[in-house]
Amino acid sequence: QVHLVESGGGLVQPGGSLRLSCAASGSIFSINTMGWYRQAPGKQRELVAGITSGGITNYADSVEGRFTISRDNAKNTVYLQMNSLKPEDTAVYYCNIWILGRGNGYWGQGTQVTVSS
């Protein structure tokens, strides 16, 4: 019913930048929260950043000040601008949307971000 497609991942040097995009399609109610999670090999999946349809944001302590989440409600698209990237940011990044009135969220397929010199 809801399809999420991430893009923008890739290989970048430490200190570099990437911008991730996630476009949602399908049956999406206007009141929702979209976010980015990441999972590195052997580690737990963690919340990176989230943003409500009203524009309220939250960030993991490890990325605050370096990453910025934003969204385009008309396009049902969420972005993650990642600056000052570090090797420890290397992970698969997943887009998520939680929609008001539904008990479960929806996930994208993930996009690989690798930070290496």
Side-chain angles (χ1 to χ4, degrees), residues 33-105:
T33 297
M34 300 186 76
W36 291 95
Y37 293 73
R38 67 186 182 188
Q39 187 166 25
K43 303 194 72 175
Q44 298 181 92
R45 183 177 60 186
E46 63 175 347
L47 174 68
V48 177
I51 184 167
T52 71
S53 48
I56 300 172
T57 61
N58 69 286
Y59 297 91
D61 290 342
S62 59
V63 307
E64 191 153 17
R66 299 187 297 121
F67 292 8
T68 302
I69 189 169
S70 61
R71 62 184 293 164
D72 184 335
N73 289 339
K75 295 182 178 180
N76 287 319
T77 299
V78 64
Y79 306 93
L80 186 67
Q81 178 67 47
M82 304 185 293
N83 298 325
S84 302
L85 282 161
K86 305 174 181 179
E88 50 262 45
D89 295 318
T90 296
V92 177
Y93 284 70
Y94 297 93
C95 179
N96 170 270
I97 183 169
W98 177 88
I99 301 172
L100 179 67
R102 305 181 191 178
N104 60 312

